[in-house]
Amino acid sequence: MSITIHPSAIVDEGAQIGDGSRIWHWVHVCGGARIGSGCSLGQNVFVGNRVVIGNNVKIQNNVSVYDNVTLEDDVFCGPSMVFTNVYNPRSAVSRKDEYRNTLVKRGATLGANSTIVCGSTIGEYAFVAAGAVVNRDVKPYALMAGVPARQIGWMSEFGERLDLPLQGNGQTTCPHTGKTYQLVDGNCTCLNP
């Protein structure tokens, strides 16, 4: 395999890009960025210096991944979704020393036009609906929607809604994969990952 970089893209010296990754039209990858293998960065994506992107991450068109954002393996960033890194920005006040870390864990989906306010951790395989605004941590497998985002359900690793209550206890099986999901005291896990 090899790396594909469109001629219109700018990849600054020092950027690390893994094997099989594809960098499309008008992308800018800063020199300090670390990008894993098998990734796809769509048109007009920006990747900052202090960004770590795992393997098989898909970043759709018009997404800016700013400093202090980490995307683990298999994360999906929908078109025009937004990350921030300063909680209370002002044009006249420099806050570059106040960047807050954002962590998106393995397999999570961030829907089109969603916003992730800095300082948040998005749990494994969580699913943030299109247009949602996340301003706090999100549990693994949680389905989040609205402004501000609230949990409205649970999602399987396959990306299907699970038949589980929001709180309490329960168990269900994903009809597509046969994997079993268990809810214990309001926390969802996959019993056979």
PDB file of all heavy atoms in Angstrom, residues 42-71:
ATOM      1  N   GLY A  42     -11.342  13.819   3.898  1.00  0.00           N
ATOM      2  CA  GLY A  42     -12.105  14.357   2.786  1.00  0.00           C
ATOM      3  C   GLY A  42     -11.714  15.782   2.439  1.00  0.00           C
ATOM      4  O   GLY A  42     -10.875  16.415   3.078  1.00  0.00           O
ATOM      5  N   GLN A  43     -12.377  16.292   1.407  1.00  0.00           N
ATOM      6  CA  GLN A  43     -12.090  17.626   0.900  1.00  0.00           C
ATOM      7  C   GLN A  43     -12.179  18.694   1.987  1.00  0.00           C
ATOM      8  O   GLN A  43     -13.087  18.685   2.803  1.00  0.00           O
ATOM      9  CB  GLN A  43     -13.094  17.947  -0.215  1.00  0.00           C
ATOM     10  CG  GLN A  43     -12.927  19.297  -0.847  1.00  0.00           C
ATOM     11  CD  GLN A  43     -13.895  19.475  -1.999  1.00  0.00           C
ATOM     12  OE1 GLN A  43     -13.860  18.706  -2.947  1.00  0.00           O
ATOM     13  NE2 GLN A  43     -14.751  20.465  -1.907  1.00  0.00           N
ATOM     14  N   ASN A  44     -11.182  19.593   1.989  1.00  0.00           N
ATOM     15  CA  ASN A  44     -11.176  20.766   2.868  1.00  0.00           C
ATOM     16  C   ASN A  44     -11.062  20.432   4.353  1.00  0.00           C
ATOM     17  O   ASN A  44     -11.556  21.150   5.208  1.00  0.00           O
ATOM     18  CB  ASN A  44     -12.413  21.641   2.610  1.00  0.00           C
ATOM     19  CG  ASN A  44     -12.235  23.049   3.125  1.00  0.00           C
ATOM     20  OD1 ASN A  44     -11.163  23.623   3.028  1.00  0.00           O
ATOM     21  ND2 ASN A  44     -13.292  23.588   3.698  1.00  0.00           N
ATOM     22  N   VAL A  45     -10.390  19.342   4.685  1.00  0.00           N
ATOM     23  CA  VAL A  45     -10.138  18.982   6.082  1.00  0.00           C
ATOM     24  C   VAL A  45      -8.862  19.688   6.548  1.00  0.00           C
ATOM     25  O   VAL A  45      -7.894  19.820   5.797  1.00  0.00           O
ATOM     26  CB  VAL A  45     -10.012  17.454   6.246  1.00  0.00           C
ATOM     27  CG1 VAL A  45      -9.408  17.070   7.602  1.00  0.00           C
ATOM     28  CG2 VAL A  45     -11.369  16.791   6.064  1.00  0.00           C
ATOM     29  N   PHE A  46      -8.869  20.145   7.802  1.00  0.00           N
ATOM     30  CA  PHE A  46      -7.680  20.717   8.433  1.00  0.00           C
ATOM     31  C   PHE A  46      -7.314  19.856   9.633  1.00  0.00           C
ATOM     32  O   PHE A  46      -8.197  19.487  10.427  1.00  0.00           O
ATOM     33  CB  PHE A  46      -7.940  22.154   8.902  1.00  0.00           C
ATOM     34  CG  PHE A  46      -6.838  22.707   9.770  1.00  0.00           C
ATOM     35  CD1 PHE A  46      -5.675  23.198   9.205  1.00  0.00           C
ATOM     36  CD2 PHE A  46      -6.962  22.713  11.152  1.00  0.00           C
ATOM     37  CE1 PHE A  46      -4.647  23.688  10.007  1.00  0.00           C
ATOM     38  CE2 PHE A  46      -5.946  23.198  11.966  1.00  0.00           C
ATOM     39  CZ  PHE A  46      -4.786  23.690  11.381  1.00  0.00           C
ATOM     40  N   VAL A  47      -6.020  19.544   9.791  1.00  0.00           N
ATOM     41  CA  VAL A  47      -5.529  18.768  10.932  1.00  0.00           C
ATOM     42  C   VAL A  47      -4.411  19.561  11.594  1.00  0.00           C
ATOM     43  O   VAL A  47      -3.386  19.844  10.964  1.00  0.00           O
ATOM     44  CB  VAL A  47      -5.029  17.373  10.509  1.00  0.00           C
ATOM     45  CG1 VAL A  47      -4.536  16.596  11.725  1.00  0.00           C
ATOM     46  CG2 VAL A  47      -6.121  16.600   9.782  1.00  0.00           C
ATOM     47  N   GLY A  48      -4.600  19.916  12.858  1.00  0.00           N
ATOM     48  CA  GLY A  48      -3.639  20.735  13.587  1.00  0.00           C
ATOM     49  C   GLY A  48      -2.381  19.990  13.992  1.00  0.00           C
ATOM     50  O   GLY A  48      -2.241  18.776  13.794  1.00  0.00           O
ATOM     51  N   ASN A  49      -1.446  20.730  14.599  1.00  0.00           N
ATOM     52  CA  ASN A  49      -0.155  20.178  15.010  1.00  0.00           C
ATOM     53  C   ASN A  49      -0.263  19.157  16.124  1.00  0.00           C
ATOM     54  O   ASN A  49       0.372  18.111  16.082  1.00  0.00           O
ATOM     55  CB  ASN A  49       0.781  21.306  15.469  1.00  0.00           C
ATOM     56  CG  ASN A  49       1.462  21.990  14.326  1.00  0.00           C
ATOM     57  OD1 ASN A  49       2.160  21.353  13.548  1.00  0.00           O
ATOM     58  ND2 ASN A  49       1.247  23.296  14.206  1.00  0.00           N
ATOM     59  N   ARG A  50      -1.050  19.472  17.143  1.00  0.00           N
ATOM     60  CA  ARG A  50      -1.142  18.594  18.311  1.00  0.00           C
ATOM     61  C   ARG A  50      -2.406  17.739  18.210  1.00  0.00           C
ATOM     62  O   ARG A  50      -3.293  17.790  19.062  1.00  0.00           O
ATOM     63  CB  ARG A  50      -1.108  19.423  19.588  1.00  0.00           C
ATOM     64  CG  ARG A  50       0.234  20.127  19.778  1.00  0.00           C
ATOM     65  CD  ARG A  50       0.483  20.626  21.187  1.00  0.00           C
ATOM     66  NE  ARG A  50      -0.604  21.376  21.770  1.00  0.00           N
ATOM     67  CZ  ARG A  50      -0.762  22.690  21.697  1.00  0.00           C
ATOM     68  NH1 ARG A  50       0.111  23.408  21.009  1.00  0.00           N
ATOM     69  NH2 ARG A  50      -1.769  23.292  22.288  1.00  0.00           N
ATOM     70  N   VAL A  51      -2.456  16.948  17.136  1.00  0.00           N
ATOM     71  CA  VAL A  51      -3.581  16.067  16.857  1.00  0.00           C
ATOM     72  C   VAL A  51      -3.047  14.654  16.659  1.00  0.00           C
ATOM     73  O   VAL A  51      -2.042  14.456  15.982  1.00  0.00           O
ATOM     74  CB  VAL A  51      -4.351  16.525  15.598  1.00  0.00           C
ATOM     75  CG1 VAL A  51      -5.369  15.477  15.160  1.00  0.00           C
ATOM     76  CG2 VAL A  51      -5.032  17.858  15.846  1.00  0.00           C
ATOM     77  N   VAL A  52      -3.738  13.683  17.249  1.00  0.00           N
ATOM     78  CA  VAL A  52      -3.405  12.273  17.044  1.00  0.00           C
ATOM     79  C   VAL A  52      -4.647  11.587  16.495  1.00  0.00           C
ATOM     80  O   VAL A  52      -5.729  11.674  17.078  1.00  0.00           O
ATOM     81  CB  VAL A  52      -2.966  11.591  18.358  1.00  0.00           C
ATOM     82  CG1 VAL A  52      -2.693  10.111  18.136  1.00  0.00           C
ATOM     83  CG2 VAL A  52      -1.737  12.284  18.937  1.00  0.00           C
ATOM     84  N   ILE A  53      -4.486  10.933  15.352  1.00  0.00           N
ATOM     85  CA  ILE A  53      -5.573  10.231  14.680  1.00  0.00           C
ATOM     86  C   ILE A  53      -5.153   8.774  14.528  1.00  0.00           C
ATOM     87  O   ILE A  53      -4.071   8.485  14.005  1.00  0.00           O
ATOM     88  CB  ILE A  53      -5.874  10.865  13.310  1.00  0.00           C
ATOM     89  CG1 ILE A  53      -6.359  12.314  13.506  1.00  0.00           C
ATOM     90  CG2 ILE A  53      -6.895  10.044  12.535  1.00  0.00           C
ATOM     91  CD1 ILE A  53      -6.547  13.092  12.215  1.00  0.00           C
ATOM     92  N   GLY A  54      -5.994   7.853  14.983  1.00  0.00           N
ATOM     93  CA  GLY A  54      -5.687   6.428  14.929  1.00  0.00           C
ATOM     94  C   GLY A  54      -5.834   5.851  13.533  1.00  0.00           C
ATOM     95  O   GLY A  54      -5.837   6.566  12.535  1.00  0.00           O
ATOM     96  N   ASN A  55      -5.992   4.538  13.468  1.00  0.00           N
ATOM     97  CA  ASN A  55      -6.126   3.822  12.208  1.00  0.00           C
ATOM     98  C   ASN A  55      -7.581   3.767  11.754  1.00  0.00           C
ATOM     99  O   ASN A  55      -8.497   3.726  12.578  1.00  0.00           O
ATOM    100  CB  ASN A  55      -5.599   2.394  12.344  1.00  0.00           C
ATOM    101  CG  ASN A  55      -4.136   2.364  12.725  1.00  0.00           C
ATOM    102  OD1 ASN A  55      -3.330   3.154  12.233  1.00  0.00           O
ATOM    103  ND2 ASN A  55      -3.775   1.450  13.614  1.00  0.00           N
ATOM    104  N   ASN A  56      -7.778   3.728  10.438  1.00  0.00           N
ATOM    105  CA  ASN A  56      -9.093   3.555   9.828  1.00  0.00           C
ATOM    106  C   ASN A  56     -10.096   4.627  10.257  1.00  0.00           C
ATOM    107  O   ASN A  56     -11.281   4.352  10.438  1.00  0.00           O
ATOM    108  CB  ASN A  56      -9.651   2.151  10.127  1.00  0.00           C
ATOM    109  CG  ASN A  56     -10.805   1.790   9.219  1.00  0.00           C
ATOM    110  OD1 ASN A  56     -10.773   2.067   8.026  1.00  0.00           O
ATOM    111  ND2 ASN A  56     -11.833   1.204   9.786  1.00  0.00           N
ATOM    112  N   VAL A  57      -9.626   5.836  10.424  1.00  0.00           N
ATOM    113  CA  VAL A  57     -10.496   6.965  10.782  1.00  0.00           C
ATOM    114  C   VAL A  57     -10.987   7.621   9.494  1.00  0.00           C
ATOM    115  O   VAL A  57     -10.213   7.846   8.569  1.00  0.00           O
ATOM    116  CB  VAL A  57      -9.748   7.983  11.669  1.00  0.00           C
ATOM    117  CG1 VAL A  57     -10.569   9.245  11.884  1.00  0.00           C
ATOM    118  CG2 VAL A  57      -9.385   7.334  13.000  1.00  0.00           C
ATOM    119  N   LYS A  58     -12.279   7.908   9.444  1.00  0.00           N
ATOM    120  CA  LYS A  58     -12.872   8.573   8.284  1.00  0.00           C
ATOM    121  C   LYS A  58     -13.294   9.973   8.700  1.00  0.00           C
ATOM    122  O   LYS A  58     -14.134  10.133   9.590  1.00  0.00           O
ATOM    123  CB  LYS A  58     -14.094   7.807   7.768  1.00  0.00           C
ATOM    124  CG  LYS A  58     -13.842   6.338   7.457  1.00  0.00           C
ATOM    125  CD  LYS A  58     -12.901   6.153   6.290  1.00  0.00           C
ATOM    126  CE  LYS A  58     -12.791   4.702   5.870  1.00  0.00           C
ATOM    127  NZ  LYS A  58     -11.674   3.981   6.452  1.00  0.00           N
ATOM    128  N   ILE A  59     -12.705  10.994   8.062  1.00  0.00           N
ATOM    129  CA  ILE A  59     -13.054  12.384   8.333  1.00  0.00           C
ATOM    130  C   ILE A  59     -13.637  12.951   7.046  1.00  0.00           C
ATOM    131  O   ILE A  59     -12.932  13.085   6.045  1.00  0.00           O
ATOM    132  CB  ILE A  59     -11.822  13.187   8.805  1.00  0.00           C
ATOM    133  CG1 ILE A  59     -11.217  12.539  10.058  1.00  0.00           C
ATOM    134  CG2 ILE A  59     -12.214  14.638   9.076  1.00  0.00           C
ATOM    135  CD1 ILE A  59      -9.931  13.190  10.529  1.00  0.00           C
ATOM    136  N   GLN A  60     -14.919  13.257   7.078  1.00  0.00           N
ATOM    137  CA  GLN A  60     -15.614  13.719   5.883  1.00  0.00           C
ATOM    138  C   GLN A  60     -15.296  15.194   5.598  1.00  0.00           C
ATOM    139  O   GLN A  60     -14.613  15.858   6.366  1.00  0.00           O
ATOM    140  CB  GLN A  60     -17.120  13.497   6.050  1.00  0.00           C
ATOM    141  CG  GLN A  60     -17.486  12.034   6.271  1.00  0.00           C
ATOM    142  CD  GLN A  60     -17.076  11.145   5.113  1.00  0.00           C
ATOM    143  OE1 GLN A  60     -17.466  11.376   3.978  1.00  0.00           O
ATOM    144  NE2 GLN A  60     -16.279  10.121   5.385  1.00  0.00           N
ATOM    145  N   ASN A  61     -15.826  15.712   4.506  1.00  0.00           N
ATOM    146  CA  ASN A  61     -15.518  17.056   4.035  1.00  0.00           C
ATOM    147  C   ASN A  61     -15.768  18.141   5.081  1.00  0.00           C
ATOM    148  O   ASN A  61     -16.702  18.049   5.881  1.00  0.00           O
ATOM    149  CB  ASN A  61     -16.361  17.394   2.801  1.00  0.00           C
ATOM    150  CG  ASN A  61     -16.065  16.499   1.620  1.00  0.00           C
ATOM    151  OD1 ASN A  61     -15.128  15.698   1.647  1.00  0.00           O
ATOM    152  ND2 ASN A  61     -16.849  16.643   0.575  1.00  0.00           N
ATOM    153  N   ASN A  62     -14.920  19.170   5.037  1.00  0.00           N
ATOM    154  CA  ASN A  62     -15.099  20.415   5.806  1.00  0.00           C
ATOM    155  C   ASN A  62     -15.017  20.238   7.313  1.00  0.00           C
ATOM    156  O   ASN A  62     -15.725  20.909   8.061  1.00  0.00           O
ATOM    157  CB  ASN A  62     -16.434  21.089   5.435  1.00  0.00           C
ATOM    158  CG  ASN A  62     -16.557  21.321   3.953  1.00  0.00           C
ATOM    159  OD1 ASN A  62     -15.636  21.831   3.319  1.00  0.00           O
ATOM    160  ND2 ASN A  62     -17.684  20.920   3.386  1.00  0.00           N
ATOM    161  N   VAL A  63     -14.151  19.375   7.785  1.00  0.00           N
ATOM    162  CA  VAL A  63     -13.948  19.186   9.224  1.00  0.00           C
ATOM    163  C   VAL A  63     -12.566  19.711   9.602  1.00  0.00           C
ATOM    164  O   VAL A  63     -11.577  19.395   8.939  1.00  0.00           O
ATOM    165  CB  VAL A  63     -14.069  17.699   9.629  1.00  0.00           C
ATOM    166  CG1 VAL A  63     -13.735  17.503  11.103  1.00  0.00           C
ATOM    167  CG2 VAL A  63     -15.465  17.174   9.320  1.00  0.00           C
ATOM    168  N   SER A  64     -12.491  20.516  10.666  1.00  0.00           N
ATOM    169  CA  SER A  64     -11.222  20.979  11.208  1.00  0.00           C
ATOM    170  C   SER A  64     -10.953  20.254  12.520  1.00  0.00           C
ATOM    171  O   SER A  64     -11.743  20.358  13.464  1.00  0.00           O
ATOM    172  CB  SER A  64     -11.253  22.494  11.451  1.00  0.00           C
ATOM    173  OG  SER A  64     -11.322  23.189  10.222  1.00  0.00           O
ATOM    174  N   VAL A  65      -9.855  19.507  12.565  1.00  0.00           N
ATOM    175  CA  VAL A  65      -9.459  18.782  13.768  1.00  0.00           C
ATOM    176  C   VAL A  65      -8.358  19.613  14.419  1.00  0.00           C
ATOM    177  O   VAL A  65      -7.203  19.584  13.988  1.00  0.00           O
ATOM    178  CB  VAL A  65      -8.979  17.357  13.446  1.00  0.00           C
ATOM    179  CG1 VAL A  65      -8.739  16.572  14.733  1.00  0.00           C
ATOM    180  CG2 VAL A  65      -9.985  16.633  12.552  1.00  0.00           C
ATOM    181  N   TYR A  66      -8.738  20.386  15.427  1.00  0.00           N
ATOM    182  CA  TYR A  66      -7.825  21.349  16.033  1.00  0.00           C
ATOM    183  C   TYR A  66      -6.904  20.705  17.061  1.00  0.00           C
ATOM    184  O   TYR A  66      -7.110  19.562  17.481  1.00  0.00           O
ATOM    185  CB  TYR A  66      -8.628  22.480  16.685  1.00  0.00           C
ATOM    186  CG  TYR A  66      -9.380  23.326  15.686  1.00  0.00           C
ATOM    187  CD1 TYR A  66     -10.763  23.443  15.755  1.00  0.00           C
ATOM    188  CD2 TYR A  66      -8.718  24.012  14.669  1.00  0.00           C
ATOM    189  CE1 TYR A  66     -11.464  24.229  14.841  1.00  0.00           C
ATOM    190  CE2 TYR A  66      -9.404  24.789  13.755  1.00  0.00           C
ATOM    191  CZ  TYR A  66     -10.783  24.889  13.846  1.00  0.00           C
ATOM    192  OH  TYR A  66     -11.456  25.648  12.939  1.00  0.00           O
ATOM    193  N   ASP A  67      -5.884  21.478  17.486  1.00  0.00           N
ATOM    194  CA  ASP A  67      -4.939  21.009  18.501  1.00  0.00           C
ATOM    195  C   ASP A  67      -5.673  20.453  19.711  1.00  0.00           C
ATOM    196  O   ASP A  67      -6.727  20.948  20.109  1.00  0.00           O
ATOM    197  CB  ASP A  67      -4.041  22.165  18.964  1.00  0.00           C
ATOM    198  CG  ASP A  67      -2.981  22.536  17.934  1.00  0.00           C
ATOM    199  OD1 ASP A  67      -2.823  21.811  16.935  1.00  0.00           O
ATOM    200  OD2 ASP A  67      -2.310  23.567  18.139  1.00  0.00           O
ATOM    201  N   ASN A  68      -5.058  19.423  20.312  1.00  0.00           N
ATOM    202  CA  ASN A  68      -5.523  18.780  21.535  1.00  0.00           C
ATOM    203  C   ASN A  68      -6.714  17.851  21.313  1.00  0.00           C
ATOM    204  O   ASN A  68      -7.394  17.483  22.262  1.00  0.00           O
ATOM    205  CB  ASN A  68      -5.831  19.797  22.630  1.00  0.00           C
ATOM    206  CG  ASN A  68      -4.585  20.480  23.160  1.00  0.00           C
ATOM    207  OD1 ASN A  68      -3.756  20.942  22.379  1.00  0.00           O
ATOM    208  ND2 ASN A  68      -4.433  20.538  24.463  1.00  0.00           N
ATOM    209  N   VAL A  69      -6.956  17.464  20.059  1.00  0.00           N
ATOM    210  CA  VAL A  69      -7.989  16.472  19.753  1.00  0.00           C
ATOM    211  C   VAL A  69      -7.306  15.146  19.433  1.00  0.00           C
ATOM    212  O   VAL A  69      -6.353  15.098  18.650  1.00  0.00           O
ATOM    213  CB  VAL A  69      -8.875  16.907  18.570  1.00  0.00           C
ATOM    214  CG1 VAL A  69      -9.823  15.791  18.153  1.00  0.00           C
ATOM    215  CG2 VAL A  69      -9.658  18.163  18.931  1.00  0.00           C
ATOM    216  N   THR A  70      -7.806  14.065  20.042  1.00  0.00           N
ATOM    217  CA  THR A  70      -7.333  12.716  19.757  1.00  0.00           C
ATOM    218  C   THR A  70      -8.509  11.883  19.275  1.00  0.00           C
ATOM    219  O   THR A  70      -9.552  11.836  19.936  1.00  0.00           O
ATOM    220  CB  THR A  70      -6.714  12.063  21.014  1.00  0.00           C
ATOM    221  OG1 THR A  70      -5.582  12.834  21.429  1.00  0.00           O
ATOM    222  CG2 THR A  70      -6.274  10.635  20.734  1.00  0.00           C
ATOM    223  N   LEU A  71      -8.332  11.248  18.123  1.00  0.00           N
ATOM    224  CA  LEU A  71      -9.334  10.348  17.564  1.00  0.00           C
ATOM    225  C   LEU A  71      -8.734   8.945  17.555  1.00  0.00           C
ATOM    226  O   LEU A  71      -7.737   8.694  16.881  1.00  0.00           O
ATOM    227  CB  LEU A  71      -9.701  10.760  16.134  1.00  0.00           C
ATOM    228  CG  LEU A  71     -10.115  12.218  15.917  1.00  0.00           C
ATOM    229  CD1 LEU A  71     -10.381  12.477  14.428  1.00  0.00           C
ATOM    230  CD2 LEU A  71     -11.329  12.568  16.749  1.00  0.00           C
TER     231      LEU A  71
END
